[in-house]
Amino acid sequence: MLVKAPPEAPPRPATPRRRRSLLPYGLLLPAAVLLGLVLGYPLVRLVVISTQRYGLRSLFTGTTSFAGWDNYAAVLGDDQLLPVLARSVGFCAALVLGTLVIGFGVALLLQRLGRGMRTTVTLCLIAAWALPNVASTLVWQWLFQPGYGVVNWLLTQVGFGDLTQHDWTTSPASAFTLVWLLVVWQSVPFVALTLYAGLSQIPRSYYEAAALDGAGPWRVHRTITVPFLQPILGLVTILSVIWDFTVFNQIWILTQGGPNDGTTTLGIWTFTRAFSGNNFGQGAAIAVVSVALLVGMTAVYVRRLVRSGEDL
Amino acid sequence: MMRRAGRNVAAAFFCLVWIFPVYWMVLTAFKPAGKILQPTPQFLPVDVTLDNFADALAKPGFVPDLVNSAVVVVAVVALSIVVAFLAATALTRFRFFGRRSFLIGVLVLQMVPVPALVIPLFLGLKSAHLLDTLFGLILTYVALVLPFTIWTLRGFLHGIPVELEEAAMVDGATRGRVMRSVLLPLVLPGLIATSVFAFITAWNDFLFAYVIMKDSSGYTLPVWLVSFSTSTGTDYGGLIAASTLFALPVVVFFALVQRHLVEGMTAGAVKG
């Protein structure tokens, strides 16, 4: 049997969708230049510095010598490495989990509240969210202050024993609790409001249809709510992972990485190694390791995102 | 009925926990010095005074640092919106070589932990003689917010049908005119959402301001705030009053744009 000859080339669409032009490049130029100079170049420089002997002297003279893998060897061989890594990852996981669980819970609650109560909750969330990072960290210090902190007073009244003089920053565990409470308190509003906005976009008819079919609340949740929210959940999770892995201000102001390095995460370690220890090379090596870790942790998501839309 | 009541109780409890730190801050700011450090806290405003605010404002550096912060914030918001809008337009309205790579690049840059950038950025700004300048700080913040703002605006522009622009062009509008009169009004909620993000980043940042601005005349407010805490002790009245003042512009800004904010973020997320 003869294969039919291919038809004539299909007629060209009446108007070509876009003519080739330099315009898009022009529009992108400012963004590209800024991203390249302020994020891209430093990123490359970071990798370069991590292979150099770069101390205080180099900072003034501008001269450095090549160190090869020395900085990495020093960092990877450091006794602190494993505890810092475990702390960073564990802390990030605890923060993300806390934020997402509470945030999702509040979003579901918002969806089911009456109008007045919903506005009240939204306003509370926005007030907490709007409070500048440094201000809320300082307020936190004030809430948990030994001697006069209102939280210690409250815990004492509720019956946890006399905690009025308790200093939260003297043990690593309670110092971490302090930071955890703060960061979760700060990050829940973004997550809750974003997820709520997503929830409110699910068409009512989906739920009505499910109710007609006799689906229970758990089933509805699993087959409608969660799949519909997937893109937003993904985005919120990835942003939380990125932000929580790199939390700096809160730890630095509350504990400076102490007590006894008990709250030193990769970010803090980078900073103290570079700026207090004046060893920029090793600081850079730690930073490169953390970038690699974060990219590794988020690679799965990025890959899925890149594959999902041909329209990316 | 019962379930409804249960939800309201849960919501009320949540509100209480979430608003308390803010309430406590404002309350403390208005308390007289003698009533701040009390072993038994006082939960309602009884003696109200403005002394703490007066103390805070009298602390050296407030006015110049406030001016620095204001200049930086305005510049960052304006610049980042323009730059991100142009970029997002290019990414959603044109297909061109390198589009995908640019997007992936943006996504990866979003992932670089900010503290990791401190060292090379410090060195880069140093060799560009931009250390200790507000200009250097502004450039830094604009670049820091760009990945997020480009991404969000892109999601927004995706949702606006191209046909609207094509119709305007058929009617004889130039491309610039289309961007101004068709695209811009439609994308306004997105621009507001991203401007809030830029505003907050620039207003709040402590780390870069701390490292880049070495000269005390060039501090921004977050660095000024931290100076209330010294090794000899903390002036809590002044500190808390100052924090309240510091938070005020953001709260006002948030309240003004609140409705667009959530809408803007979701559009960016869903269609992203």
Short mmCIF file of all heavy atoms in Angstrom, two decimals, chain A residues 18 23 25 38-39 42 46 49 59 106 114 126 130-133 142 145 148 153 185 194 197 246 248 294 298 306 311-312, chain B residues 4 18 28 37 39 41 93 95 97 99-100 111 113 116-117 120-121 123 126 143 158 175 204 207 246 250 258 262 265-266:
data_model
loop_
_atom_site.label_atom_id
_atom_site.label_comp_id
_atom_site.label_asym_id
_atom_site.label_seq_id
_atom_site.Cartn_x
_atom_site.Cartn_y
_atom_site.Cartn_z
N ARG A 18 4.68 36.40 16.39
CA ARG A 18 5.55 37.52 16.81
C ARG A 18 6.66 37.65 15.80
O ARG A 18 7.26 36.65 15.41
CB ARG A 18 6.18 37.25 18.18
CG ARG A 18 5.21 37.25 19.32
CD ARG A 18 4.76 38.65 19.67
NE ARG A 18 3.73 38.59 20.68
CZ ARG A 18 2.69 39.40 20.72
NH1 ARG A 18 2.55 40.31 19.78
NH2 ARG A 18 1.81 39.30 21.66
N LEU A 23 13.16 43.97 20.77
CA LEU A 23 12.41 44.60 21.86
C LEU A 23 12.43 43.81 23.16
O LEU A 23 12.74 44.38 24.22
CB LEU A 23 10.99 44.89 21.40
CG LEU A 23 10.15 45.70 22.40
CD1 LEU A 23 10.81 47.03 22.70
CD2 LEU A 23 8.75 45.92 21.85
N TYR A 25 14.54 41.82 24.35
CA TYR A 25 15.87 41.90 24.99
C TYR A 25 16.05 43.26 25.65
O TYR A 25 16.62 43.37 26.73
CB TYR A 25 16.97 41.64 23.97
CG TYR A 25 16.92 40.25 23.41
CD1 TYR A 25 16.45 39.99 22.14
CD2 TYR A 25 17.33 39.17 24.19
CE1 TYR A 25 16.38 38.71 21.63
CE2 TYR A 25 17.27 37.87 23.70
CZ TYR A 25 16.79 37.65 22.42
OH TYR A 25 16.72 36.37 21.94
N VAL A 38 24.49 42.29 40.74
CA VAL A 38 24.34 42.26 42.20
C VAL A 38 24.12 40.85 42.75
O VAL A 38 24.43 40.58 43.90
CB VAL A 38 23.20 43.20 42.65
CG1 VAL A 38 23.12 43.26 44.15
CG2 VAL A 38 23.41 44.59 42.08
N LEU A 39 23.60 39.92 41.93
CA LEU A 39 23.45 38.55 42.44
C LEU A 39 24.37 37.57 41.72
O LEU A 39 25.03 36.76 42.34
CB LEU A 39 21.99 38.08 42.31
CG LEU A 39 20.92 38.83 43.10
CD1 LEU A 39 19.55 38.21 42.86
CD2 LEU A 39 21.23 38.80 44.58
N PRO A 42 28.36 38.37 42.33
CA PRO A 42 28.80 37.96 43.67
C PRO A 42 28.79 36.45 43.86
O PRO A 42 29.64 35.91 44.57
CB PRO A 42 27.78 38.62 44.59
CG PRO A 42 27.25 39.75 43.83
CD PRO A 42 27.25 39.33 42.41
N LEU A 46 31.88 34.52 44.96
CA LEU A 46 31.84 33.70 46.16
C LEU A 46 32.60 32.39 45.95
O LEU A 46 33.40 31.98 46.78
CB LEU A 46 30.38 33.40 46.51
CG LEU A 46 30.09 32.65 47.80
CD1 LEU A 46 30.32 33.56 48.99
CD2 LEU A 46 28.67 32.14 47.82
N ILE A 49 36.35 33.21 45.74
CA ILE A 49 36.95 33.50 47.05
C ILE A 49 37.12 32.23 47.87
O ILE A 49 38.09 32.08 48.61
CB ILE A 49 36.07 34.50 47.84
CG1 ILE A 49 36.07 35.85 47.15
CG2 ILE A 49 36.57 34.66 49.26
CD1 ILE A 49 35.09 36.83 47.74
N LEU A 59 41.73 42.03 52.27
CA LEU A 59 40.65 43.00 52.17
C LEU A 59 41.24 44.39 51.93
O LEU A 59 40.68 45.20 51.18
CB LEU A 59 39.86 42.99 53.46
CG LEU A 59 38.41 43.44 53.40
CD1 LEU A 59 37.66 42.67 52.34
CD2 LEU A 59 37.75 43.26 54.75
N VAL A 106 -5.02 27.62 59.75
CA VAL A 106 -5.67 28.92 59.84
C VAL A 106 -6.40 29.24 58.54
O VAL A 106 -7.51 29.79 58.55
CB VAL A 106 -4.63 30.02 60.18
CG1 VAL A 106 -5.27 31.40 60.09
CG2 VAL A 106 -4.06 29.79 61.55
N GLY A 114 -17.43 33.08 59.93
CA GLY A 114 -18.35 34.13 59.51
C GLY A 114 -17.55 35.37 59.12
O GLY A 114 -16.35 35.46 59.37
N ILE A 126 -2.32 40.33 59.58
CA ILE A 126 -1.64 41.41 58.88
C ILE A 126 -0.80 42.25 59.83
O ILE A 126 0.32 42.65 59.51
CB ILE A 126 -2.66 42.26 58.09
CG1 ILE A 126 -3.11 41.43 56.88
CG2 ILE A 126 -2.06 43.57 57.64
CD1 ILE A 126 -3.91 42.16 55.89
N ALA A 130 3.07 42.70 59.27
CA ALA A 130 3.59 44.02 58.93
C ALA A 130 4.68 44.47 59.88
O ALA A 130 5.49 45.32 59.54
CB ALA A 130 2.45 45.04 58.93
N LEU A 131 4.71 43.91 61.06
CA LEU A 131 5.72 44.33 62.02
C LEU A 131 7.10 44.03 61.44
O LEU A 131 7.39 42.90 61.09
CB LEU A 131 5.51 43.56 63.33
CG LEU A 131 5.99 44.28 64.58
CD1 LEU A 131 5.24 45.58 64.75
CD2 LEU A 131 5.79 43.40 65.79
N PRO A 132 7.95 45.04 61.32
CA PRO A 132 9.25 44.80 60.72
C PRO A 132 10.05 43.75 61.50
O PRO A 132 9.97 43.68 62.72
CB PRO A 132 9.94 46.16 60.79
CG PRO A 132 8.84 47.14 60.87
CD PRO A 132 7.74 46.46 61.61
N ASN A 133 10.75 42.97 60.73
CA ASN A 133 11.57 41.88 61.24
C ASN A 133 12.38 42.25 62.49
O ASN A 133 12.30 41.59 63.52
CB ASN A 133 12.50 41.52 60.08
CG ASN A 133 13.26 40.28 60.31
OD1 ASN A 133 13.79 40.08 61.40
ND2 ASN A 133 13.32 39.42 59.31
N TRP A 142 11.91 41.29 74.49
CA TRP A 142 11.20 41.96 75.58
C TRP A 142 10.15 41.05 76.19
O TRP A 142 10.00 40.99 77.40
CB TRP A 142 10.62 43.26 75.02
CG TRP A 142 9.61 43.98 75.85
CD1 TRP A 142 8.39 44.39 75.43
CD2 TRP A 142 9.73 44.41 77.20
NE1 TRP A 142 7.74 45.04 76.44
CE2 TRP A 142 8.54 45.05 77.55
CE3 TRP A 142 10.73 44.27 78.16
CZ2 TRP A 142 8.31 45.59 78.80
CZ3 TRP A 142 10.51 44.80 79.43
CH2 TRP A 142 9.31 45.45 79.74
N GLN A 145 12.02 38.34 78.33
CA GLN A 145 13.09 38.85 79.15
C GLN A 145 13.09 38.23 80.54
O GLN A 145 12.04 38.10 81.16
CB GLN A 145 12.90 40.36 79.28
CG GLN A 145 14.12 41.17 79.06
CD GLN A 145 14.41 42.00 80.27
OE1 GLN A 145 13.51 42.37 80.99
NE2 GLN A 145 15.68 42.27 80.47
N TYR A 148 11.42 40.38 83.89
CA TYR A 148 10.22 41.17 83.61
C TYR A 148 9.43 40.69 82.41
O TYR A 148 8.46 41.32 82.03
CB TYR A 148 10.61 42.64 83.40
CG TYR A 148 11.44 43.18 84.53
CD1 TYR A 148 12.82 43.31 84.41
CD2 TYR A 148 10.84 43.53 85.73
CE1 TYR A 148 13.57 43.79 85.46
CE2 TYR A 148 11.59 44.02 86.78
CZ TYR A 148 12.96 44.15 86.64
OH TYR A 148 13.70 44.62 87.68
N TRP A 153 6.17 35.34 83.18
CA TRP A 153 5.16 35.59 84.21
C TRP A 153 3.94 34.71 83.98
O TRP A 153 3.44 34.05 84.87
CB TRP A 153 4.78 37.07 84.19
CG TRP A 153 3.69 37.41 85.17
CD1 TRP A 153 3.87 37.73 86.50
CD2 TRP A 153 2.29 37.44 84.93
NE1 TRP A 153 2.65 37.96 87.08
CE2 TRP A 153 1.65 37.79 86.15
CE3 TRP A 153 1.49 37.20 83.82
CZ2 TRP A 153 0.27 37.91 86.28
CZ3 TRP A 153 0.11 37.32 83.93
CH2 TRP A 153 -0.49 37.67 85.15
N TRP A 185 5.77 32.63 64.16
CA TRP A 185 4.82 33.73 64.36
C TRP A 185 4.90 34.71 63.19
O TRP A 185 3.89 35.21 62.71
CB TRP A 185 5.14 34.43 65.68
CG TRP A 185 4.24 35.57 66.03
CD1 TRP A 185 2.99 35.47 66.56
CD2 TRP A 185 4.50 36.96 65.86
NE1 TRP A 185 2.47 36.73 66.74
CE2 TRP A 185 3.36 37.66 66.32
CE3 TRP A 185 5.59 37.69 65.37
CZ2 TRP A 185 3.29 39.05 66.30
CZ3 TRP A 185 5.51 39.07 65.35
CH2 TRP A 185 4.37 39.75 65.81
N THR A 194 -2.01 33.46 51.86
CA THR A 194 -1.85 32.97 50.49
C THR A 194 -2.69 31.72 50.27
O THR A 194 -3.40 31.60 49.27
CB THR A 194 -0.37 32.63 50.20
OG1 THR A 194 0.42 33.74 50.60
CG2 THR A 194 -0.14 32.36 48.74
N ALA A 197 -6.35 32.63 50.14
CA ALA A 197 -6.71 33.21 48.85
C ALA A 197 -6.88 32.11 47.81
O ALA A 197 -7.77 32.16 46.96
CB ALA A 197 -5.64 34.21 48.42
N THR A 246 17.63 30.13 55.49
CA THR A 246 18.56 31.26 55.51
C THR A 246 18.22 32.29 56.58
O THR A 246 18.70 33.41 56.53
CB THR A 246 18.56 31.95 54.15
OG1 THR A 246 17.23 32.35 53.84
CG2 THR A 246 19.06 31.04 53.06
N PHE A 248 18.46 34.64 59.36
CA PHE A 248 19.68 35.18 59.94
C PHE A 248 19.40 36.20 61.04
O PHE A 248 19.81 36.01 62.18
CB PHE A 248 20.55 35.82 58.85
CG PHE A 248 21.83 36.39 59.38
CD1 PHE A 248 22.94 35.59 59.57
CD2 PHE A 248 21.91 37.73 59.74
CE1 PHE A 248 24.11 36.10 60.09
CE2 PHE A 248 23.08 38.25 60.26
CZ PHE A 248 24.18 37.44 60.43
N LEU A 294 21.01 23.93 49.44
CA LEU A 294 19.68 24.46 49.19
C LEU A 294 19.22 24.14 47.77
O LEU A 294 18.07 23.75 47.55
CB LEU A 294 19.67 25.97 49.42
CG LEU A 294 18.30 26.58 49.60
CD1 LEU A 294 17.60 26.00 50.81
CD2 LEU A 294 18.40 28.09 49.73
N THR A 298 15.98 21.85 46.72
CA THR A 298 14.86 22.38 45.96
C THR A 298 14.87 21.92 44.51
O THR A 298 13.96 22.24 43.75
CB THR A 298 14.87 23.92 45.99
OG1 THR A 298 16.18 24.35 45.64
CG2 THR A 298 14.51 24.46 47.34
N VAL A 306 9.91 23.15 35.80
CA VAL A 306 10.44 23.36 34.46
C VAL A 306 9.76 22.43 33.47
O VAL A 306 9.44 22.81 32.35
CB VAL A 306 11.97 23.15 34.44
CG1 VAL A 306 12.49 23.12 33.02
CG2 VAL A 306 12.65 24.24 35.24
N ASP A 311 4.95 26.15 28.62
CA ASP A 311 4.79 27.58 28.48
C ASP A 311 5.66 28.34 29.48
O ASP A 311 5.55 29.54 29.63
CB ASP A 311 3.33 27.96 28.70
CG ASP A 311 3.05 29.37 28.19
OD1 ASP A 311 3.67 29.74 27.18
OD2 ASP A 311 2.24 30.08 28.80
N LEU A 312 6.51 27.65 30.19
CA LEU A 312 7.31 28.30 31.22
C LEU A 312 8.00 29.54 30.70
O LEU A 312 8.58 29.53 29.66
CB LEU A 312 8.36 27.33 31.77
CG LEU A 312 9.20 27.94 32.90
CD1 LEU A 312 8.51 27.71 34.24
CD2 LEU A 312 10.59 27.36 32.92
N ARG B 4 -19.88 25.63 64.85
CA ARG B 4 -19.68 27.03 64.57
C ARG B 4 -19.04 27.74 65.76
O ARG B 4 -18.08 28.47 65.63
CB ARG B 4 -21.06 27.62 64.27
CG ARG B 4 -21.05 29.08 64.01
CD ARG B 4 -21.20 29.27 62.56
NE ARG B 4 -20.65 30.53 62.16
CZ ARG B 4 -21.17 31.24 61.18
NH1 ARG B 4 -22.22 30.80 60.53
NH2 ARG B 4 -20.61 32.35 60.83
N TRP B 18 -1.76 35.71 68.30
CA TRP B 18 -1.03 36.38 67.23
C TRP B 18 -0.93 37.89 67.44
O TRP B 18 0.03 38.52 67.04
CB TRP B 18 -1.63 36.03 65.86
CG TRP B 18 -0.63 35.30 65.06
CD1 TRP B 18 0.10 35.80 64.02
CD2 TRP B 18 -0.18 33.96 65.26
NE1 TRP B 18 0.97 34.84 63.57
CE2 TRP B 18 0.82 33.71 64.31
CE3 TRP B 18 -0.51 32.95 66.16
CZ2 TRP B 18 1.50 32.49 64.21
CZ3 TRP B 18 0.15 31.74 66.07
CH2 TRP B 18 1.13 31.53 65.12
N THR B 28 3.41 48.82 75.99
CA THR B 28 4.65 49.16 76.69
C THR B 28 5.16 50.52 76.27
O THR B 28 5.68 51.28 77.09
CB THR B 28 5.73 48.09 76.40
OG1 THR B 28 5.20 46.82 76.71
CG2 THR B 28 6.98 48.34 77.22
N LEU B 37 9.30 48.03 83.86
CA LEU B 37 9.98 46.87 84.44
C LEU B 37 9.29 46.48 85.74
O LEU B 37 9.76 46.77 86.82
CB LEU B 37 11.46 47.19 84.69
CG LEU B 37 12.27 47.46 83.43
CD1 LEU B 37 13.70 47.84 83.77
CD2 LEU B 37 12.28 46.24 82.52
N PRO B 39 7.60 43.28 87.96
CA PRO B 39 7.51 41.82 88.03
C PRO B 39 6.10 41.33 87.68
O PRO B 39 5.94 40.30 87.08
CB PRO B 39 7.86 41.50 89.47
CG PRO B 39 8.55 42.71 89.99
CD PRO B 39 8.04 43.88 89.21
N PRO B 41 3.05 42.03 85.45
CA PRO B 41 2.71 42.88 84.31
C PRO B 41 1.32 43.47 84.43
O PRO B 41 0.44 42.92 85.07
CB PRO B 41 2.78 41.91 83.12
CG PRO B 41 2.72 40.56 83.69
CD PRO B 41 3.20 40.62 85.09
N ARG B 93 4.94 38.30 26.89
CA ARG B 93 4.35 38.77 25.65
C ARG B 93 5.20 38.46 24.42
O ARG B 93 4.81 38.73 23.31
CB ARG B 93 4.11 40.28 25.74
CG ARG B 93 3.04 40.68 26.74
CD ARG B 93 1.72 40.02 26.42
NE ARG B 93 0.63 40.46 27.28
CZ ARG B 93 0.13 39.76 28.29
NH1 ARG B 93 0.63 38.58 28.58
NH2 ARG B 93 -0.89 40.23 29.00
N ARG B 95 8.05 35.59 22.54
CA ARG B 95 8.84 34.36 22.63
C ARG B 95 10.16 34.68 21.96
O ARG B 95 10.19 35.20 20.87
CB ARG B 95 8.18 33.19 21.90
CG ARG B 95 6.71 33.30 21.67
CD ARG B 95 6.08 31.93 21.66
NE ARG B 95 5.26 31.79 22.85
CZ ARG B 95 5.55 30.97 23.86
NH1 ARG B 95 6.62 30.21 23.82
NH2 ARG B 95 4.75 30.90 24.89
N PHE B 97 14.67 33.78 21.96
CA PHE B 97 15.75 32.89 22.35
C PHE B 97 16.31 33.31 23.71
O PHE B 97 16.61 34.47 23.93
CB PHE B 97 16.86 32.93 21.29
CG PHE B 97 18.04 32.08 21.65
CD1 PHE B 97 17.98 30.70 21.51
CD2 PHE B 97 19.19 32.66 22.15
CE1 PHE B 97 19.05 29.91 21.86
CE2 PHE B 97 20.27 31.87 22.50
CZ PHE B 97 20.20 30.51 22.35
N ARG B 99 14.65 32.87 26.62
CA ARG B 99 13.59 33.18 27.58
C ARG B 99 13.57 32.17 28.73
O ARG B 99 13.53 32.53 29.90
CB ARG B 99 12.25 33.15 26.85
CG ARG B 99 11.12 33.87 27.54
CD ARG B 99 9.90 33.86 26.65
NE ARG B 99 9.44 32.50 26.49
CZ ARG B 99 8.40 31.99 27.15
NH1 ARG B 99 7.72 32.76 27.97
NH2 ARG B 99 8.04 30.74 26.98
N ARG B 100 13.60 30.90 28.35
CA ARG B 100 13.58 29.84 29.35
C ARG B 100 14.77 29.91 30.29
O ARG B 100 14.62 29.82 31.51
CB ARG B 100 13.60 28.49 28.64
CG ARG B 100 12.35 27.70 28.73
CD ARG B 100 12.54 26.46 27.89
NE ARG B 100 12.65 25.28 28.74
CZ ARG B 100 11.57 24.55 29.06
NH1 ARG B 100 10.39 24.88 28.62
NH2 ARG B 100 11.70 23.49 29.82
N MET B 111 17.12 31.37 45.09
CA MET B 111 17.49 30.35 46.06
C MET B 111 18.79 30.62 46.79
O MET B 111 19.12 29.91 47.71
CB MET B 111 17.63 29.03 45.32
CG MET B 111 16.49 28.15 45.60
SD MET B 111 16.51 26.87 44.43
CE MET B 111 14.93 27.16 43.76
N PRO B 113 21.05 31.77 49.41
CA PRO B 113 20.80 32.29 50.75
C PRO B 113 21.42 33.69 50.88
O PRO B 113 22.56 33.89 50.50
CB PRO B 113 21.53 31.31 51.66
CG PRO B 113 21.98 30.19 50.81
CD PRO B 113 21.92 30.61 49.40
N ALA B 116 24.82 34.34 52.37
CA ALA B 116 25.96 33.90 51.58
C ALA B 116 26.44 34.99 50.64
O ALA B 116 27.59 35.01 50.21
CB ALA B 116 25.59 32.66 50.78
N LEU B 117 25.56 35.91 50.29
CA LEU B 117 25.93 36.96 49.34
C LEU B 117 26.67 38.10 50.01
O LEU B 117 27.26 38.95 49.34
CB LEU B 117 24.67 37.51 48.67
CG LEU B 117 24.05 36.64 47.60
CD1 LEU B 117 22.79 37.29 47.09
CD2 LEU B 117 25.03 36.44 46.46
N PRO B 120 30.82 38.42 49.14
CA PRO B 120 31.21 38.90 47.81
C PRO B 120 30.56 40.23 47.45
O PRO B 120 31.17 41.03 46.75
CB PRO B 120 30.72 37.80 46.87
CG PRO B 120 29.75 37.01 47.62
CD PRO B 120 30.11 37.13 49.06
N LEU B 121 29.37 40.47 47.94
CA LEU B 121 28.72 41.73 47.63
C LEU B 121 29.47 42.88 48.31
O LEU B 121 29.70 43.94 47.72
CB LEU B 121 27.26 41.70 48.10
CG LEU B 121 26.35 42.70 47.44
CD1 LEU B 121 26.27 42.44 45.96
CD2 LEU B 121 24.97 42.64 48.05
N LEU B 123 32.61 42.87 49.01
CA LEU B 123 33.86 43.09 48.27
C LEU B 123 33.60 43.78 46.93
O LEU B 123 34.34 44.68 46.53
CB LEU B 123 34.57 41.76 48.05
CG LEU B 123 35.01 41.05 49.33
CD1 LEU B 123 35.53 39.66 49.03
CD2 LEU B 123 36.05 41.87 50.07
N LYS B 126 32.82 47.29 47.45
CA LYS B 126 34.04 47.98 47.87
C LYS B 126 34.87 48.38 46.65
O LYS B 126 35.30 49.52 46.53
CB LYS B 126 34.85 47.05 48.78
CG LYS B 126 36.05 47.67 49.44
CD LYS B 126 36.55 46.70 50.48
CE LYS B 126 38.01 46.76 50.85
NZ LYS B 126 38.78 47.91 50.69
N ALA B 143 18.05 44.32 43.43
CA ALA B 143 18.40 43.00 42.90
C ALA B 143 17.83 41.89 43.79
O ALA B 143 17.39 40.86 43.30
CB ALA B 143 19.91 42.87 42.79
N HIS B 158 0.32 36.75 32.84
CA HIS B 158 -0.20 35.54 32.22
C HIS B 158 -1.70 35.53 32.20
O HIS B 158 -2.33 35.04 31.26
CB HIS B 158 0.28 34.31 33.00
CG HIS B 158 1.30 33.51 32.27
ND1 HIS B 158 1.14 33.16 30.95
CD2 HIS B 158 2.48 32.99 32.66
CE1 HIS B 158 2.19 32.48 30.58
NE2 HIS B 158 3.02 32.37 31.59
N ARG B 175 3.00 50.34 20.71
CA ARG B 175 3.29 49.37 21.75
C ARG B 175 3.46 50.05 23.12
O ARG B 175 2.98 49.55 24.14
CB ARG B 175 4.54 48.59 21.41
CG ARG B 175 4.49 47.19 21.97
CD ARG B 175 5.74 46.45 21.64
NE ARG B 175 5.62 45.61 20.46
CZ ARG B 175 4.89 44.48 20.42
NH1 ARG B 175 4.21 44.11 21.45
NH2 ARG B 175 4.86 43.75 19.34
N ASN B 204 13.01 46.78 56.14
CA ASN B 204 13.35 45.90 57.24
C ASN B 204 14.78 45.42 57.28
O ASN B 204 15.25 44.98 58.31
CB ASN B 204 12.49 44.64 57.18
CG ASN B 204 11.09 44.89 57.61
OD1 ASN B 204 10.75 46.01 57.95
ND2 ASN B 204 10.28 43.87 57.59
N LEU B 207 20.79 43.10 57.81
CA LEU B 207 22.10 42.53 57.48
C LEU B 207 22.91 43.39 56.50
O LEU B 207 24.05 43.76 56.78
CB LEU B 207 21.89 41.12 56.92
CG LEU B 207 23.13 40.32 56.58
CD1 LEU B 207 24.01 40.15 57.79
CD2 LEU B 207 22.73 38.96 56.04
N PHE B 246 8.80 52.60 64.18
CA PHE B 246 9.40 51.94 63.03
C PHE B 246 8.37 51.09 62.29
O PHE B 246 8.37 51.00 61.05
CB PHE B 246 10.55 51.08 63.54
CG PHE B 246 11.29 50.32 62.49
CD1 PHE B 246 11.86 50.97 61.41
CD2 PHE B 246 11.43 48.95 62.60
CE1 PHE B 246 12.55 50.26 60.46
CE2 PHE B 246 12.12 48.23 61.64
CZ PHE B 246 12.68 48.89 60.57
N VAL B 250 4.83 50.73 57.91
CA VAL B 250 4.51 49.47 57.23
C VAL B 250 3.06 49.09 57.50
O VAL B 250 2.35 48.66 56.59
CB VAL B 250 5.44 48.33 57.71
CG1 VAL B 250 5.29 47.13 56.82
CG2 VAL B 250 6.87 48.79 57.74
N GLN B 258 -4.14 46.30 51.61
CA GLN B 258 -4.44 44.97 52.10
C GLN B 258 -5.26 44.13 51.12
O GLN B 258 -4.92 42.98 50.84
CB GLN B 258 -5.18 45.17 53.42
CG GLN B 258 -5.47 43.97 54.22
CD GLN B 258 -6.94 43.70 54.19
OE1 GLN B 258 -7.38 42.78 53.53
NE2 GLN B 258 -7.73 44.51 54.88
N VAL B 262 -3.40 40.20 48.96
CA VAL B 262 -3.63 38.76 48.92
C VAL B 262 -3.98 38.33 47.50
O VAL B 262 -3.47 37.34 46.97
CB VAL B 262 -4.76 38.39 49.90
CG1 VAL B 262 -5.12 36.94 49.76
CG2 VAL B 262 -4.32 38.69 51.32
N MET B 265 -0.83 38.18 45.41
CA MET B 265 0.06 37.05 45.66
C MET B 265 -0.50 35.78 45.07
O MET B 265 0.24 34.95 44.56
CB MET B 265 0.26 36.88 47.15
CG MET B 265 1.17 37.92 47.69
SD MET B 265 1.55 37.59 49.37
CE MET B 265 0.06 36.90 49.91
N THR B 266 -1.81 35.63 45.17
CA THR B 266 -2.40 34.39 44.67
C THR B 266 -2.30 34.31 43.16
O THR B 266 -1.98 33.28 42.60
CB THR B 266 -3.88 34.29 45.02
OG1 THR B 266 -4.06 34.93 46.23
CG2 THR B 266 -4.30 32.88 45.08
#
